[in-house]
Amino acid sequence: MAVTASRTTNPVLLAMVLAVVAFVVVNRRGDAPWAFAFRLYVYLGAAVVVMRVLFRVLLGGPQGEHVLLVLPVIPLPEVAAGIQLLGPFTLEELLGGFYDGLRLATMLICVGAANALANPKRMLKGLPSALYEVGAAVVVALSVAPQLAESVLRVKRARRLRGGGQRGMRALHGIIIPVLSDAMDRSLALAAAMDVRGYGRSGDVPTALRRTTGALVVAGLLGVCVGVYGLMDGTTRAFGVPLLLAGLVVAGTGFLLGGRNVTKSAYRPDRWRAADVVVAACGIAAAAVLYLTSSVDAANLYPSLSPLRWPQLAPLPASGVLVGLLPAWIAPPPPSTAEAHR
């Protein structure tokens, strides 16, 4: 869904993506600590939109005919030629900043939905053997945000029980330190638990093989990054697919070479079931429909600002976004924490 949001600046389609993601989160969110992180990402997305609009006000320059505000122009030296601080602010600049900020905020909220729905600790079971050490560090890092959300709720509940009546900035100094300390302690406890349960490299890997594996993995991942950028950027599609495929092949070769010399413990590995495949296919289908629409008719995906026009909603991209609703019924309900400990 984040890839879907990256293909458009149409606020109607982006609002549909946000509604779809929020609906799936509400219907398939459990009671685990990371399930409470979605609200924080929504607040962060709103802050991104506001900051994007403010930057347009500060550095926009005269673009468009419908002037909303006339602000004083701050002169800059010749080194900063072409950059204007403040000045006339138009409706076109406001909408342009809002569209760009809403797209970035929607992508961010989609990532937050994934963090709210998925168990970051289970990622270790699906990583290649060559990357499990890096994966352990990434899982610990990803668990900080969900643990942070739970810590905020716990600290606020404790303050209410103690009769703390301070609000706003006055209560910040009494909340932020306990929250950060608690979230860090819980993440370190996760790292210690993984270490105790056998997440450690065994055996010596030859230096030459280690360097070869590292070079292949790094080169492959760089190729994947450039290929993904080529796919997402409408002007550089010619080299996007070849570089993406080449990067996947090179990185996969490095993973295979490195994984042969690494042994790690595995406990009840997760299996891909039919529902899991369908859920992943829904996201791929939504992104594919938006990609196809941008290749065939991109006018409805990028509303015109010069001249100003109302955003239009075409049936094809709307149907692609609505495919993302299916996981709300296809995915099995998450087990509660009490059932998980039985």
Side-chain angles (χ1 to χ4, degrees), residues 122-331:
R122 294 174 59 187
M123 291 177 59
L124 286 174
K125 298 182 179 181
L127 285 175
S129 300
L131 286 182
Y132 90 98
E133 286 183 338
V134 177
V138 171
V139 168
V140 173
L142 288 178
S143 66
V144 172
Q147 300 289 2
L148 191 64
E150 186 191 15
S151 298
V152 171
L153 298 177
R154 292 174 59 189
V155 172
K156 291 177 64 176
R157 190 182 303 115
R159 286 178 59 84
R160 285 197 300 266
L161 292 175
R162 294 187 179 96
Q166 295 180 343
R167 296 181 179 273
M169 296 300 296
R170 295 182 178 179
L172 185 61
H173 70 278
I175 293 178
I176 187 170
I177 300 300
V179 166
L180 294 177
S181 177
D182 183 68
M184 187 60 65
D185 290 341
R186 293 168 68 88
S187 298
L188 291 177
L190 169 62
M194 291 191 298
D195 187 34
V196 169
R197 286 170 174 80
Y199 287 98
R201 182 185 294 271
S202 62
D204 295 331
V205 179
T207 303
L209 179 60
R210 184 182 302 163
R211 293 177 178 175
T212 303
T213 302
L216 290 175
V217 171
V218 172
L221 292 181
L222 288 176
V224 169
C225 292
V226 177
V228 170
Y229 175 80
L231 288 176
M232 297 179 67
D233 187 9
T235 60
T236 55
R237 296 174 184 171
F239 64 86
V241 175
L243 282 179
L244 178 60
L245 295 178
L248 290 174
V249 172
V250 174
T253 304
F255 291 154
L256 291 176
L257 291 177
R260 292 178 179 178
N261 296 275
V262 176
T263 58
K264 66 184 182 68
S265 60
Y267 177 70
R268 293 180 183 177
D270 290 343
R271 299 182 181 276
W272 276 76
R273 296 170 294 181
D276 304 325
V277 176
V278 175
V279 169
C282 289
I284 296 174
V289 170
L290 267 292
Y291 181 81
L292 177 63
T293 305
S294 64
S295 302
V296 177
D297 182 16
N300 293 322
L301 299 182
Y302 301 94
S304 175
L305 295 176
S306 179
L308 279 178
R309 293 180 181 176
W310 286 100
Q312 302 295 322
L313 183 61
L316 181 60
S319 61
V321 173
L322 291 178
V323 172
L325 284 173
L326 296 179
W329 298 281
I330 295 175

